[in-house]
């Protein structure tokens, strides 16, 4: 096993096993070895957080464990942020991101936000439990961009549909691209509600956002 792969696995493990102090040393060793910080986040810290989220969904972890896992992730991020190479290509656009109304689970959303910022996007984070009107008002304010919505609850999935319907009713739908994600979602559901993209993880979301940004630019 290469040293880089070993460190990526250690970053992953530290997050899952709630090693919020040890992760700092591992992150330092990783970046000081000259390895790519963005990859350290996507293939190490973020993967660990996604695994922790899976354990939470399986009821093997509960809120206290999940919070310590997120502390570990953020501790690692703080070490890596100064080493991230910002992407400054000109196809970037605004990102409006939030967890839809009725859902307060925001770890996945926060991961996507970090990936978007790292990729060079201008991110407007609306937070969690975001009403339909708040999404609409932000689109009116920034005028164009990518609306990213997430939820971990089947009971709140319909609020994504409501946002898209209201964007159309207000004549704003053609000005934005819509990307959705979250545990209970699927590609077929995204297509059903008229979203432009569905992604299953933070790294994939950042990659897809680049494609959507280019589509917006060419409109």
């Amino acid at each position: 096993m290469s040293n880089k792969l070993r460190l990526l696995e250690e970053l992953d493990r530290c997050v899952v096993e709630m090693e919020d102090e040890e992760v700092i040393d591992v992150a330092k060793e990783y970046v000081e070895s000259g390895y790519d910080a963005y990859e350290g986040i996507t293939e190490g810290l973020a993967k660990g957080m996604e695994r922790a989220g899976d354990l939470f969904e399986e009821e093997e972890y509960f809120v206290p464990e999940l919070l310590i896992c997120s502390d570990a992730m953020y501790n690692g991020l703080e070490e890596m942020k100064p080493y991230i190479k910002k992407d400054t290509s000109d196809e970037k656009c605004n990102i409006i991101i939030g967890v839809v109304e009725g859902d307060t689970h925001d770890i996945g959303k926060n991961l996507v936000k970090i990936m978007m910022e790292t990729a060079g996007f201008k991110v407007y984070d609306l937070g969690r439990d975001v009403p339909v009107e708040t999404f609409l008002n932000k689109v009116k304010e920034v005028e164009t961009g990518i609306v990213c919505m997430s939820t971990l609850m089947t009971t709140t999935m319909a609020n994504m549909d409501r946002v898209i319907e209201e964007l159309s009713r207000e004549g704003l739908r053609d000005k934005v691209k819509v990307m959705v994600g979250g545990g209970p979602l699927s590609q077929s559901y995204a297509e059903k509600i008229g979203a432009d993209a569905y992604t299953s993880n933070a790294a994939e979301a950042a990659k897809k956002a680049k494609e959507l940004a280019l589509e917006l630019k060419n409109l």
Side-chain angles (χ1 to χ4, degrees):
M1 180 187 297
S2 70
N3 189 49
K4 179 181 179 182
L5 183 57
R6 177 186 67 81
L7 290 171
L8 287 172
E9 291 186 356
E10 276 295 288
L11 289 168
D12 179 327
R13 183 193 64 78
C14 283
V15 173
V16 174
E17 297 184 4
M18 298 171 278
E19 298 286 357
D20 54 341
E21 295 296 332
E22 182 182 345
V23 72
I24 296 172
D25 293 331
V26 177
K28 282 181 179 177
E29 183 180 352
Y30 180 88
V31 293
E32 288 173 0
S33 296
Y35 302 131
D36 183 70
Y38 184 74
E39 190 175 354
I41 295 170
T42 59
E43 300 302 314
L45 299 173
K47 278 193 173 179
M49 199 63 229
E50 285 164 7
R51 287 208 295 140
D54 291 340
L55 290 169
F56 178 74
E57 290 302 303
E58 294 162 8
E59 296 187 347
E60 290 189 37
Y61 275 11
F62 298 94
V63 172
E65 289 84 0
L66 206 59
L67 289 174
I68 302 174
C69 288
S70 64
D71 285 343
M73 179 190 69
Y74 286 122
N75 285 350
L77 278 169
E78 284 303 308
E79 293 300 321
M80 291 191 174
K81 276 182 180 178
Y83 297 87
I84 292 171
K85 299 170 185 175
K86 291 280 187 175
D87 185 340
T88 56
S89 54
D90 61 3
E91 68 266 18
K92 294 301 174 289
C93 64
N94 299 315
I95 298 289
I96 299 166
I97 189 169
V99 182
V100 294
E101 188 170 11
D103 191 349
T104 59
H105 301 90
D106 63 356
I107 289 175
K109 183 268 296 177
N110 291 340
L111 272 174
V112 173
K113 175 188 174 183
I114 290 163
M115 294 296 101
M116 296 296 192
E117 289 176 336
T118 300
F121 290 98
K122 171 63 177 177
V123 180
Y124 297 91
D125 183 4
L126 304 183
R128 55 190 182 177
D129 192 17
V130 181
V132 174
E133 295 77 13
T134 303
F135 281 107
L136 293 177
N137 289 338
K138 183 55 72 171
V139 171
K140 290 175 183 177
E141 177 187 327
V142 303
E143 297 184 342
T144 185
I146 303 170
V147 177
C148 301
M149 297 182 284
S150 70
T151 186
L152 280 179
M153 300 169 63
T154 56
T155 53
T156 58
M157 288 166 59
N159 287 327
M160 294 180 170
D161 193 10
R162 288 180 58 213
V163 171
I164 293 173
E165 287 178 351
E166 287 301 308
L167 285 170
S168 297
R169 193 177 68 81
E170 294 275 351
L172 301 168
R173 184 64 183 88
D174 293 339
K175 296 183 177 182
V176 298
K177 295 292 183 179
V178 177
M179 182 161 58
V180 297
L185 274 66
S186 64
Q187 179 64 40
S188 61
Y189 182 76
E191 292 172 0
K192 177 183 176 183
I193 64 175
D196 297 292
Y198 157 76
T199 57
S200 61
N201 60 64
E204 183 185 345
K207 181 179 178 181
K208 191 66 182 180
K210 293 181 181 181
E211 298 173 11
L212 295 177
L214 191 56
E215 290 177 20
L216 275 174
K217 183 182 178 182
N218 293 332
L219 286 179

